[in-house]
Amino acid sequence: MISNQILQNTIEGLKAIARVEFCVLDVDGKEVASTTDMGNNSRAAAEFAASPADSQEIQGYQYFKIYDEQQLEYVLVAGGTGEDVYMIGKMAAFQVQNLLVAYKERFDKDNFVKNLLLDNLLLVDIYSRSKKLHIQTEVPRVVMIVESGNGRDSNVLELARTHLGTNSKDFVTAVDESNVIVVKELADADALKEVEKCARSLEGFLQKEGIRDIRIAYGTVIQEIKEVSRSFKEAKMALDVGKIFFGDRDIIAYSELGIGRLIYQLPIPLCKMFIREIFGGKSPDDFDEETLTTIYKFFENSLNVSETSRQLFIHRNTLVYRLDKLQKSTGLDLRIFEDAITFKIALMVVKYMRYMENTDF
């Protein structure tokens, strides 16, 4: 439950304050953490563990039992000169006992949140476990997914916890080897602005810590804890759709996906059928770079011929010639709004298909 390093740091801190040496052993007498070499006390610890006493002096050392829900977890040994060694040892055992409780609660909450995200809990279990873990059920929350360039660096998880650690109402966890997930509790007013601000703040903090190529996606704000899994699914979709259609954005919201959200949910066979209907045996991938540049710039300027030709540094008639040529090869005239919409969607569908073909599942 508690890492050996945490125990080591704790007893070293206690030693610095009380000037008493400590050693923590497991129930089998194996040393877990120690501030000094106290000799071979594993046999004495094993005998003490089997005895009914909670504390005992053995060969000049004070032994204390530390329990986890009525079950013996550790044996603490305190050694030193002076009459206060017993009292200090008792206080140290109490401190480690409290650490056990705190880390167990943190583990239980983390486990609960993971199952909540993955929709692995019955409705009755969600509310009963929320009550037991003292988690409010009816407050605004949102799920954010944090992805870095090299997958889930273990450092990102701890850094995110450090950044959000001042607010114990937020949860930072991971359910796979790729991403870090934040379940963020929000204030009632201006929830969406708060989410964007939090995402920007987290991104800036991670960048200062040397984490690169960060992408953050978040779902919609939910009002009840049972809806956390929905916000998580939305955030996952936002992350994928953002990579496909919003490659220049490092923070993306589910509510900003537009038509990309619809295209992402289309089955690939249906997409291929649509492309065949629009382009016949061709594909936008077959167009040369000049044609593609012209098309994207024309869309960017809202089908304005004059402005597009100006930005491309070509004569207006040259642009009209290119559009006429495209119309002959595809049957679509981009100067007509309906044809332009069809062509735009087709380009997005091709982009989606290319992404799905290159994605490993």
Side-chain angles (χ1 to χ4, degrees), residues 42 81 109 132 138 233 242 279 292 303 336-338 348 361:
S42 59
T81 58
K109 283 186 177 180
K132 182 178 179 181
E138 296 184 358
K233 291 171 185 174
F279 299 109
L292 286 173
L303 314 185
I336 299 174
F337 181 74
E338 186 176 342
M348 293 179 72
F361 293 98

Tab-separated table of all heavy atoms in Angstrom, residues 42 81 109 132 138 233 242 279 292 303 336-338 348 361:
chain	number	residue	atom	x	y	z
A	42	SER	N	15.138	-9.764	12.908
A	42	SER	CA	14.004	-10.372	12.211
A	42	SER	C	13.357	-11.483	13.039
A	42	SER	O	12.136	-11.614	13.070
A	42	SER	CB	14.442	-10.925	10.852
A	42	SER	OG	15.460	-11.894	11.011
A	81	THR	N	18.802	5.934	23.486
A	81	THR	CA	18.974	6.094	24.933
A	81	THR	C	17.941	7.074	25.465
A	81	THR	O	17.429	7.924	24.735
A	81	THR	CB	20.387	6.618	25.252
A	81	THR	OG1	20.579	7.868	24.578
A	81	THR	CG2	21.455	5.620	24.800
A	109	LYS	N	-10.090	5.413	-3.515
A	109	LYS	CA	-10.676	6.441	-4.364
A	109	LYS	C	-10.201	6.294	-5.808
A	109	LYS	O	-10.985	6.426	-6.747
A	109	LYS	CB	-10.322	7.836	-3.834
A	109	LYS	CG	-11.134	8.253	-2.614
A	109	LYS	CD	-10.841	9.690	-2.220
A	109	LYS	CE	-11.720	10.124	-1.054
A	109	LYS	NZ	-11.461	11.524	-0.641
A	132	LYS	N	-19.361	6.264	1.010
A	132	LYS	CA	-18.350	5.677	1.883
A	132	LYS	C	-17.017	6.417	1.751
A	132	LYS	O	-16.290	6.593	2.741
A	132	LYS	CB	-18.157	4.199	1.518
A	132	LYS	CG	-17.153	3.477	2.398
A	132	LYS	CD	-17.043	2.007	2.003
A	132	LYS	CE	-16.016	1.287	2.875
A	132	LYS	NZ	-15.878	-0.142	2.477
A	138	GLU	N	-23.383	15.192	-6.586
A	138	GLU	CA	-24.100	16.141	-7.437
A	138	GLU	C	-23.383	17.488	-7.483
A	138	GLU	O	-23.841	18.490	-6.944
A	138	GLU	CB	-25.547	16.308	-6.958
A	138	GLU	CG	-26.360	15.029	-7.064
A	138	GLU	CD	-27.815	15.224	-6.677
A	138	GLU	OE1	-28.180	16.349	-6.284
A	138	GLU	OE2	-28.574	14.250	-6.762
A	233	LYS	N	-15.843	9.293	-22.290
A	233	LYS	CA	-15.975	8.837	-23.679
A	233	LYS	C	-15.936	10.014	-24.646
A	233	LYS	O	-15.352	9.925	-25.737
A	233	LYS	CB	-17.284	8.050	-23.844
A	233	LYS	CG	-17.288	6.715	-23.126
A	233	LYS	CD	-18.665	6.077	-23.144
A	233	LYS	CE	-18.687	4.798	-22.308
A	233	LYS	NZ	-20.053	4.234	-22.188
A	242	GLY	N	-9.703	15.467	-32.745
A	242	GLY	CA	-8.787	16.603	-32.759
A	242	GLY	C	-7.528	16.297	-33.561
A	242	GLY	O	-7.019	17.142	-34.297
A	279	PHE	N	-16.169	10.811	-56.309
A	279	PHE	CA	-15.000	10.928	-57.181
A	279	PHE	C	-14.855	9.787	-58.180
A	279	PHE	O	-13.870	9.743	-58.911
A	279	PHE	CB	-13.728	11.005	-56.325
A	279	PHE	CG	-13.693	12.193	-55.407
A	279	PHE	CD1	-13.832	12.046	-54.037
A	279	PHE	CD2	-13.524	13.466	-55.924
A	279	PHE	CE1	-13.793	13.140	-53.199
A	279	PHE	CE2	-13.483	14.571	-55.086
A	279	PHE	CZ	-13.622	14.425	-53.728
A	292	LEU	N	-4.678	20.976	-54.724
A	292	LEU	CA	-5.092	20.898	-53.326
A	292	LEU	C	-4.921	22.237	-52.609
A	292	LEU	O	-5.785	22.662	-51.832
A	292	LEU	CB	-4.297	19.811	-52.596
A	292	LEU	CG	-4.668	18.357	-52.919
A	292	LEU	CD1	-3.690	17.399	-52.265
A	292	LEU	CD2	-6.091	18.044	-52.460
A	303	LEU	N	-15.153	30.755	-50.409
A	303	LEU	CA	-15.511	30.674	-51.836
A	303	LEU	C	-15.395	32.020	-52.550
A	303	LEU	O	-16.054	32.243	-53.577
A	303	LEU	CB	-16.930	30.099	-52.015
A	303	LEU	CG	-17.286	28.839	-51.203
A	303	LEU	CD1	-18.664	28.329	-51.568
A	303	LEU	CD2	-16.242	27.752	-51.391
A	336	ILE	N	-20.336	26.723	-56.457
A	336	ILE	CA	-21.717	26.480	-56.029
A	336	ILE	C	-21.672	25.927	-54.611
A	336	ILE	O	-20.967	24.953	-54.331
A	336	ILE	CB	-22.413	25.485	-56.978
A	336	ILE	CG1	-22.451	26.059	-58.396
A	336	ILE	CG2	-23.816	25.159	-56.480
A	336	ILE	CD1	-22.985	25.090	-59.423
A	337	PHE	N	-22.430	26.540	-53.726
A	337	PHE	CA	-22.346	26.214	-52.294
A	337	PHE	C	-22.571	24.722	-52.027
A	337	PHE	O	-21.819	24.102	-51.280
A	337	PHE	CB	-23.376	27.052	-51.522
A	337	PHE	CG	-23.357	26.798	-50.040
A	337	PHE	CD1	-22.334	27.298	-49.252
A	337	PHE	CD2	-24.354	26.032	-49.431
A	337	PHE	CE1	-22.299	27.059	-47.885
A	337	PHE	CE2	-24.325	25.787	-48.077
A	337	PHE	CZ	-23.297	26.306	-47.298
A	338	GLU	N	-23.590	24.146	-52.633
A	338	GLU	CA	-23.907	22.735	-52.378
A	338	GLU	C	-22.767	21.821	-52.800
A	338	GLU	O	-22.402	20.879	-52.089
A	338	GLU	CB	-25.189	22.357	-53.125
A	338	GLU	CG	-25.670	20.940	-52.809
A	338	GLU	CD	-26.996	20.610	-53.481
A	338	GLU	OE1	-27.707	21.541	-53.899
A	338	GLU	OE2	-27.322	19.410	-53.577
A	348	MET	N	-12.801	15.677	-45.757
A	348	MET	CA	-12.744	15.292	-44.347
A	348	MET	C	-12.877	13.782	-44.186
A	348	MET	O	-12.204	13.172	-43.352
A	348	MET	CB	-13.839	16.016	-43.563
A	348	MET	CG	-13.641	17.528	-43.478
A	348	MET	SD	-14.951	18.364	-42.570
A	348	MET	CE	-14.586	17.842	-40.883
A	361	PHE	N	-4.805	-0.667	-33.470
A	361	PHE	CA	-5.788	-0.963	-32.419
A	361	PHE	C	-5.339	-2.179	-31.637
A	361	PHE	O	-4.701	-3.070	-32.145
A	361	PHE	CB	-7.171	-1.193	-33.032
A	361	PHE	CG	-7.753	0.050	-33.664
A	361	PHE	CD1	-7.663	0.275	-35.026
A	361	PHE	CD2	-8.373	0.995	-32.874
A	361	PHE	CE1	-8.196	1.409	-35.592
A	361	PHE	CE2	-8.926	2.143	-33.419
A	361	PHE	CZ	-8.817	2.352	-34.789
